[in-house]
């Protein structure tokens, strides 16, 4: 291909991209998703999600011990088996058969709660750090270690309990146990309750773990997005595992369990941070953004200014940003 032909192709590609860029800037339904994705990438949110997933991996097993022990206290054997079977499918490659021998033990409950508290504090603190990073909160304005621990305990008591309840509801509804004898309408209502509860938990998490004044209205869009996607991911994981991966554990052993759990927590973390990013984009009006090239819109400038201001480590430190006059939209 000649030099002239290459320049012609590049010119047509740029012209097409410019047209797409112009369209997305004019329509909020397009500019908001573009802005969310851009900010997600610029914040390196995949690294933040990895940090959350790492600690969540350690916290899930003591939470399961608490869940199984509570089922042993309050649920008869046959319904408990059905519920454990479905709950095990919701969490990739955890074999429900290995959980059948557990019953209602006070010592198991105490051990599970203590271990869950220790590991849960770490995952909540990681999530709090991620939310503050998403909101570009300056480092000097972030909470001290005692404040982080106190808030983490509050989140574990409220949101952690809510997650257990939500999982139990989904497990009972999907297992079709005779204990509840639900018809199709009852199942739909049960799923709706679980989704609404998930959304409420995300509202609480986004508000409690963000060290910035945000209202329920500010965080509701992201909570709806994350709550619905959270439920969809649980449902899809149950379907995929029951149909395609049920023999994976016997074939690949512990490696399959570890890798799949890490991926599952990573996707959950991605979903959570996407919801948080949506809240920031809407609250701070960080849309429309330019698709390519230099920062051309006011939203571009506000975004880059907030990135710079986040790096302030002292309350008396001032960070100024400048853009060439021709880049001011």
């Amino acid at each position: 291909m000649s030099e002239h032909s290459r320049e012609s192709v590049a010119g047509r590609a740029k012209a097409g991209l410019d047209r797409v860029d112009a369209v997305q800037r004019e329509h909020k339904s397009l500019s908001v998703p573009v802005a969310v994705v851009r900010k997600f990438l610029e914040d390196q949110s995949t690294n933040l999600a990895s940090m959350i997933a790492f600690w969540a991996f350690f916290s899930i097993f003591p939470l399961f011990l608490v869940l199984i022990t509570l089922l042993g206290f309050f649920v008869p054997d046959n319904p408990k088996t059905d519920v454990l079977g479905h709950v095990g499918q919701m969490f990739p490659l955890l074999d429900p058969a290995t959980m059948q021998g557990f019953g209602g033990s006070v010592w198991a409950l105490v051990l599970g709660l203590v271990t869950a508290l220790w590991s849960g504090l770490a995952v909540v603190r990681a999530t709090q750090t991620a939310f503050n990073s998403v909101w570009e909160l300056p480092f000097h304005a972030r909470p001290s270690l005692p404040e982080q621990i106190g808030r983490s305990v509050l989140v574990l008591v409220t949101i952690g309990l809510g997650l257990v309840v939500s999982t139990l509801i989904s497990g009972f509804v999907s297992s079709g146990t005779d204990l509840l004898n639900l018809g199709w309408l009852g199942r739909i209502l049960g799923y709706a309750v679980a989704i609404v509860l998930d959304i409420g938990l995300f509202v609480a998490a986004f508000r409690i773990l963000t060290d910035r004044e945000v209202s329920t209205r500010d965080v509701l869009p992201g909570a709806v997005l994350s709550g619905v996607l959270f439920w969809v991911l649980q449902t899809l994981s149950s379907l995929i595992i029951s149909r395609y991966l049920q023999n994976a554990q016997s074939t690949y052993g512990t490696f399959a369990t570890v890798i799949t759990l890490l991926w599952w927590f990573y996707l959950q973390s991605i979903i959570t941070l996407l919801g948080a990013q949506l809240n920031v984009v809407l609250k701070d009006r960080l849309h429309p953004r330019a698709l390519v090239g230099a920062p051309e819109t006011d939203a571009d400038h506000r975004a880059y200014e907030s990135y710079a201001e986040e790096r302030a480590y002292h309350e008396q430190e001032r960070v100024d940003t400048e853009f060439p006059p021709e880049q001011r939209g």
Side-chain angles (χ1 to χ4, degrees), residues 88-108:
Q89 290 179 352
M90 293 168 66
F91 295 88
L93 297 182
L94 287 179
D95 186 4
T98 63
M99 300 184 285
Q100 301 300 328
F102 291 93
S105 170
V106 175
W107 288 109

Side-chain angles (χ1 to χ4, degrees), residues 13-160:
K14 184 179 184 303
L17 189 58
D18 288 340
R19 287 194 294 270
V20 172
D21 191 14
V23 171
Q24 69 91 14
R25 293 191 195 187
E26 295 174 357
H27 297 83
K28 186 176 180 180
S29 60
L30 297 176
S31 65
V32 170
V34 168
V36 169
V37 172
R38 281 213 58 176
K39 190 172 184 305
F40 184 91
L41 297 175
E42 290 167 349
D43 279 337
Q44 298 182 336
S45 294
T46 52
N47 293 339
L48 300 175
S50 299
M51 177 177 61
I52 298 173
F54 174 81
W55 287 110
F57 177 79
F58 286 99
S59 68
I60 188 62
F61 296 103
L63 284 177
F64 259 111
L65 181 59
V66 173
L67 172 63
I68 296 168
T69 305
L70 290 176
L71 286 175
F73 275 124
F74 301 110
V75 180
D77 288 339
N78 289 337
K80 181 178 72 174
T81 300
D82 294 337
V83 174
L84 283 177
H86 184 73
V87 170
Q89 290 179 352
M90 293 168 66
F91 295 88
L93 297 182
L94 287 179
D95 186 4
T98 63
M99 300 184 285
Q100 301 300 328
F102 291 93
S105 170
V106 175
W107 288 109
L109 182 61
V110 172
L111 177 63
L113 288 173
V114 171
T115 310
L117 177 63
W118 172 76
S119 57
L121 287 175
V123 70
V124 173
R125 287 182 58 200
T127 305
Q128 185 177 5
T129 299
F131 286 173
N132 287 333
S133 179
V134 166
W135 284 93
E136 316 303 338
L137 193 72
F139 281 91
H140 67 78
R142 299 189 182 187
S144 62
L145 180 59
E147 292 175 326
Q148 291 183 24
I149 294 176
R151 192 171 301 180
S152 298
V153 172
L154 174 62
V155 168
L156 285 178
V157 172
T158 56
I159 298 178

Side-chain angles (χ1 to χ4, degrees), residues 130-201:
F131 286 173
N132 287 333
S133 179
V134 166
W135 284 93
E136 316 303 338
L137 193 72
F139 281 91
H140 67 78
R142 299 189 182 187
S144 62
L145 180 59
E147 292 175 326
Q148 291 183 24
I149 294 176
R151 192 171 301 180
S152 298
V153 172
L154 174 62
V155 168
L156 285 178
V157 172
T158 56
I159 298 178
L161 179 60
L163 285 174
V164 172
V165 173
S166 174
T167 302
L168 283 174
I169 291 175
S170 297
F172 272 114
V173 172
S174 300
S175 63
T177 175
D178 294 335
L179 183 66
L180 296 181
N181 194 23
L182 296 172
W184 65 269
L185 181 59
R187 288 176 180 270
I188 293 176
L189 290 176
Y191 288 136
V193 169
I195 293 174
V196 170
L197 182 57
D198 286 339
I199 293 173
L201 293 174

